[in-house]
């Protein structure tokens, strides 16, 4: 009997380590390229880095990963073209299903069963992202304490 190679228990540590790797690499890049940029730009760049690292670590078959990476490509193209696009506001939300569709990236195009699967996967990666960010903050706080003790 063959075991499924894509079980979450087997790939979970690898996915978390890849997510951490991509996130820390992006943070390093932000610190090198934008050392003195305004706080709101740095926070947007950090948030974007967190989402991209989460999407890169996840399965490319997931709709939410493609939606996040697709948005990033649109942002890059818009920056290159230096055009502003006016987006029409969407109609008001009428059902709980529609609310969930707006929360999950790429959820507008999915049927409800697929939406629930994608939501569970997205929530799992969001919780990993929070754990990664907490560990980065804890590490940085410990480093600051060490520096203060030396002085």
């Amino acid at each position: 009997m063959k075991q499924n190679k894509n079980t979450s228990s087997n790939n979970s540590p690898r996915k978390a380590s890849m997510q951490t790797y991509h996130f820390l690499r992006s943070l390093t890049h932000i610190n090198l390229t934008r050392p003195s940029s305004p706080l709101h730009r740095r926070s947007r760049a950090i948030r974007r880095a967190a989402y991209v690292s989460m999407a890169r670590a996840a399965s490319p078959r997931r709709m939410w990963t493609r939606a996040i990476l697709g948005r990033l490509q649109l942002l890059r193209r818009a920056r290159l073209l230096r055009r502003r696009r006016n987006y029409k506001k969407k109609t008001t939300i009428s059902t709980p299903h529609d609310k969930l569709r707006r929360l999950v990236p790429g959820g507008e195009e999915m049927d409800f069963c697929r939406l629930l699967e994608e939501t569970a996967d997205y929530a799992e990666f969001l919780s990993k992202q929070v754990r990664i960010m907490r560990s980065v903050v804890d590490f940085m706080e410990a480093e600051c304490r060490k520096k203060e003790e030396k002085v």
Side-chain angles (χ1 to χ4, degrees), residues 50-88:
Y51 276 115
V52 170
S53 65
M54 182 175 67
R56 284 186 180 156
S59 170
R61 293 184 200 151
R62 291 293 182 185
M63 187 72 104
W64 65 266
T65 60
R66 287 181 284 177
I68 288 174
L69 296 174
R71 278 187 208 155
L72 180 68
Q73 288 176 350
L74 284 176
L75 287 173
R76 284 182 182 156
R77 275 191 226 134
R79 255 187 277 142
L80 290 174
L81 298 174
R82 298 210 181 265
R83 287 189 345 208
R84 290 190 180 199
R85 298 178 185 178
N86 294 326
Y87 293 101
K88 294 180 181 178

Side-chain angles (χ1 to χ4, degrees), residues 19 54 121-134:
Q19 187 175 353
M54 182 175 67
D121 190 58
Y122 184 59
E124 177 187 344
F125 273 89
L126 283 175
S127 66
K128 287 178 188 176
Q129 180 181 350
V130 168
R131 279 186 258 134
I132 290 167
M133 292 178 135
R134 280 185 185 159

Side-chain angles (χ1 to χ4, degrees), residues 88-94 98 102:
K88 294 180 181 178
K89 290 186 178 180
K90 294 186 179 182
T91 58
T92 58
I93 299 169
S94 59
D98 293 334
R102 290 198 57 205

